[in-house]
Amino acid sequence: MRETIEFIKEKLNGFAPEIGIILGSGLGELADEYCNIAIPYFEIPGFIKSNVKGHKGRLVFAEINGKKIVMMQGRNHFYEGHSMQEITYPVKVLKALGIKTLILTNAAGAVNEEFKPSDLMLITDHINNMGSNPLIGPNDDNLGERFPDMTEIYDKSLINLAEKCAKNLGIDVQKGVYWANSGPSYETPAEIRMIRMLGGDAVGMSTVPEAIIANYCGMNVLGISCISNAASSISGDKLSHEEVIDTTNKAKIKFKSLILSVISAL
Ligand code: HPA
């Protein structure tokens, strides 16, 4: 960790970010538009070297609306075969860089039948069905407790703030529970019925490991899902990664204006 932080800080010339944003599938554009300093993940000691598919895979530092931001443009996933510890290492790095507020974003399938593709959902809570947990292994008592509380991972005041920002922008937002599977296969119709019965509103393959680590080490977390498709069986159509990316592209204008407004309001 010391080596990672030294490497990054050397490139920052004293720039000290306060807010972190992890940009999910199809949502990376913000880091193209606002970019003062960029560091590809493969250069950073301790980061996973493989490319992030469909993303640039870099840390981007920028001042946006007067706030100092670090963005992760793309993330690695558990389904790629990396460990939970590897995929969440960057969150610990953000903590060590001084980040207090972390905005997690993703593309997700709608399980709640009231949700439509291109809706935005503020994550109120999550269900971890990935079959593992990023805190497995020895605990670093300097970072957090062995058995950390997870009662309010997604900060209520940040949800209220994001709702207010959305209202001012005239954007309708949904709220709900994000269910995480390991993937990479999408869900079967029976699995979607089960997720709905058990309280999931949207389903995806990311975010939960990062949210657990961020909460564990004391960061305030806001989670935003971009609903990219009706989950398996709801629409009757087959599901493809292209559909997920196409819909996310359509939603990204809304998504970007919401993020920018939240950043200003923080
Ligand atoms: N299921 C799981 N992950 C996803 C989906 C989905 O329907 N859409 C985008 N990510």
Side-chain angles (χ1 to χ4, degrees):
M1 180 58 81
R2 204 171 303 126
E3 198 188 331
T4 308
I5 297 301
E6 266 171 25
F7 177 87
I8 294 173
K9 282 202 168 158
E10 206 164 278
K11 312 236 171 211
L12 294 187
N13 284 324
F15 181 92
E18 314 142 276
I19 303 168
I21 311 177
I22 301 186
L23 296 164
S25 299
L27 303 171
E29 213 171 81
L30 201 68
D32 288 324
E33 288 173 20
Y34 297 88
C35 174
N36 299 130
I37 304 162
I39 316 175
Y41 296 154
F42 68 80
E43 288 184 6
I44 305 175
F47 272 48
I48 294 167
K49 301 286 173 233
S50 65
N51 283 338
V52 179
K53 224 181 154 206
H55 303 285
K56 291 218 163 89
R58 55 186 198 159
L59 269 190
V60 171
F61 297 83
E63 185 153 330
I64 307 182
N65 299 345
K67 302 282 163 56
K68 295 193 168 65
I69 312 287
V70 53
M71 289 171 273
M72 285 187 63
Q73 194 173 25
R75 55 156 68 85
N76 284 102
H77 293 86
F78 190 48
Y79 60 72
E80 291 165 291
H82 311 298
S83 71
M84 283 271 165
Q85 289 75 15
E86 285 168 326
I87 61 169
T88 53
Y89 181 68
V91 177
K92 294 180 187 167
V93 170
L94 297 186
K95 170 74 182 175
L97 286 173
I99 298 305
K100 299 197 173 56
T101 302
L102 182 63
I103 306 177
L104 299 173
T105 72
N106 59 53
V111 174
N112 186 319
E113 283 168 305
E114 314 226 312
F115 293 1
K116 307 176 296 304
S118 97
D119 275 353
L120 299 179
M121 182 188 89
L122 302 174
I123 304 177
T124 54
D125 203 351
H126 75 220
I127 296 173
N128 177 12
N129 190 51
M130 297 179 95
S132 189
N133 188 299
L135 290 168
I136 290 175
N139 187 53
D140 180 350
D141 295 333
N142 294 320
L143 268 184
E145 291 175 44
R146 170 74 294 187
F147 302 107
D149 173 76
M150 294 280 148
T151 315
E152 191 187 320
I153 298 186
Y154 303 90
D155 194 277
K156 284 205 178 77
S157 55
L158 288 178
I159 294 173
N160 291 340
L161 183 89
E163 260 190 309
K164 252 188 230 146
C165 291
K167 203 168 176 202
N168 289 340
L169 292 164
I171 298 172
D172 284 331
V173 280
Q174 309 283 3
K175 283 195 285 184
V177 173
Y178 177 87
W179 176 293
N181 287 330
S182 71
S185 50
Y186 289 119
E187 299 71 31
T188 64
E191 285 165 344
I192 293 300
R193 287 194 297 277
M194 176 195 75
I195 294 170
R196 190 176 304 124
M197 276 165 55
L198 295 181
D201 294 294
V203 58
M205 307 172 192
S206 68
T207 304
V208 161
E210 296 148 0
I212 292 173
I213 292 295
N215 184 58
Y216 156 79
C217 60
M219 291 190 220
N220 298 320
V221 177
L222 175 67
I224 307 176
S225 290
C226 176
I227 301 298
S228 54
N229 55 279
S232 168
S233 85
I234 295 181
S235 70
D237 297 332
K238 287 202 172 169
L239 185 54
S240 69
H241 185 57
E242 285 66 39
E243 178 187 347
V244 169
I245 296 297
D246 277 357
T247 314
T248 315
N249 274 335
K250 286 181 200 137
K252 73 186 173 195
I253 297 177
K254 250 184 346 187
F255 170 81
K256 271 196 297 192
S257 36
L258 180 59
I259 295 272
L260 291 175
S261 160
V262 168
I263 289 172
S264 305
L266 275 171

